[in-house]
Amino acid sequence: MDKKKIVEKIRQHKKQPNLRFKLKEKVETFTNLLFYTLFDIDTPVASNMEELEVAFDTLVSLACWETNKPCKKVWENYMATLPEVLERLNLDAEAIVNCDPASLSIEEVYMAYPGFYAIAIYRLAHELYIKGFPLVPRLMTEYAHRQTGVDINPGAQIGKSFFIDHATGVVIGETAIIKDHVKIYQGVTLGALYVAKDLQRTKRHPTIENNVTIYANATILGGKTVIGENSIIGGNAWVTESIPANSTVFHTPEIRIKTLPNAV
């Protein structure tokens, strides 16, 4: 097959008219600029807000495919939420520094904790998600996922003072609800019991009430599953039913130790 035929074959199979990967790159640039604007003390807020608006207009031109939806109006509404988002993120950082004996300072939390970074990008993405501009927040949280190993869908609802320790491998599904003062460790999954396209508009992921701690590699599944407040879910636990308040759930592994005979 000659070169012209190969090129024509490739063109025939490129079927997605809106698939522009520069959108992904532009979202990552926007996300970085937004993070610096909110947290870096040397980054000028006023001029950066102007720059962010221009960057957001570019995202709109690339990602708002339905012309009847006024995506450009999203920016002003989104910008108005940023002070409250920053206030929530400061509470998250304080929760981390207060709970983790390994933290040396709150500055360390902002700069070095992947769990905080994942939460920050989730909160910034979530506000866009609820304003009806879904692709950009999805790309924002995927960017954080790639950097931290934490996969939080922007549709999840997460309350105040949230703490993810060690971070890597955490998965929080789209319809999960996490209330205030919840702490989770690496490898935790808040997922769905069943995966089917017709469940798209149903609550598929669990609800975690206030003051719950979920230890490493625990898996909690199902939209009807509620973990009651003040409960502790131990490491490696598998939970698919609701747990009452003030409960402790733990997995007991069977460990067998085989002693080898002394070598002759």
Side-chain angles (χ1 to χ4, degrees):
M1 188 180 292
D2 63 29
K3 186 184 294 185
K4 288 185 178 180
K5 288 184 178 179
I6 293 171
V7 170
E8 184 57 34
K9 286 283 187 181
I10 292 173
R11 285 175 176 167
Q12 288 175 8
H13 291 293
K14 290 181 72 171
K15 298 180 178 180
Q16 306 303 324
N18 297 313
L19 187 57
R20 296 179 176 90
F21 279 92
K22 65 181 178 181
L23 170 62
K24 185 175 181 179
E25 296 168 359
K26 296 289 186 183
V27 167
E28 293 172 5
T29 300
F30 173 81
T31 302
N32 288 334
L33 185 61
L34 188 56
F35 190 86
Y36 270 69
T37 302
L38 293 184
F39 295 109
D40 182 61
I41 199 64
D42 294 324
T43 299
V45 176
S47 59
N48 266 41
M49 293 303 290
E50 299 294 330
E51 193 175 343
L52 283 165
E53 183 173 5
V54 173
F56 190 80
D57 281 345
T58 301
L59 300 183
V60 166
S61 67
L62 292 170
C64 192
W65 307 320
E66 298 181 40
T67 56
N68 61 327
K69 291 187 177 181
C71 292
K72 288 195 175 184
K73 294 181 180 178
V74 171
W75 173 250
E76 290 184 3
N77 295 328
Y78 178 65
M79 185 171 58
T81 68
L82 293 179
E84 182 180 351
V85 172
L86 180 54
E87 183 179 4
R88 281 179 171 255
L89 288 171
N90 287 335
L91 290 175
D92 295 326
E94 289 169 12
I96 294 171
V97 80
N98 290 335
C99 292
D100 186 3
S103 63
L104 301 176
S105 67
I106 197 162
E107 289 82 5
E108 181 191 29
V109 170
Y110 286 108
M111 291 191 288
Y113 274 58
F116 175 77
Y117 184 80
I119 295 166
I121 303 309
Y122 152 77
R123 290 204 189 280
L124 292 167
H126 179 70
E127 293 300 324
L128 278 177
Y129 178 93
I130 62 179
K131 286 174 173 51
F133 193 35
L135 181 57
V136 167
R138 187 72 176 89
L139 291 172
M140 290 171 71
T141 55
E142 266 309 304
Y143 179 46
H145 181 195
R146 191 167 75 247
Q147 290 187 300
T148 66
V150 178
D151 184 2
I152 308 177
N153 190 286
Q157 300 176 46
I158 300 178
K160 297 178 182 178
S161 299
F162 184 44
F163 176 22
I164 302 176
D165 200 5
H166 304 297
T168 306
V170 169
V171 177
I172 300 174
E174 179 187 23
T175 62
I177 297 174
I178 300 173
K179 297 193 178 178
D180 299 341
H181 304 286
V182 170
K183 179 166 63 174
I184 67 178
Y185 287 77
Q186 70 273 15
V188 167
T189 297
L190 305 181
L193 265 174
Y194 308 102
V195 179
K197 197 65 178 178
D198 60 358
L199 298 175
Q200 186 174 16
R201 299 189 179 278
T202 62
K203 188 178 185 304
R204 308 180 304 282
H205 307 96
T207 296
I208 312 299
E209 297 285 353
N210 296 334
N211 302 308
V212 169
T213 298
I214 307 172
Y215 283 103
N217 299 313
T219 298
I220 304 173
L221 305 178
K224 295 181 179 179
T225 302
V226 178
I227 306 300
E229 63 181 10
N230 306 315
S231 292
I232 297 173
I233 308 299
N236 298 305
W238 178 275
V239 180
T240 58
E241 297 180 359
S242 293
I243 303 299
N246 306 302
S247 298
T248 299
V249 177
F250 57 91
H251 168 71
T252 305
E254 182 179 356
I255 299 174
R256 295 182 180 183
I257 300 175
K258 182 177 181 181
T259 303
L260 297 175
N262 294 328
V264 177

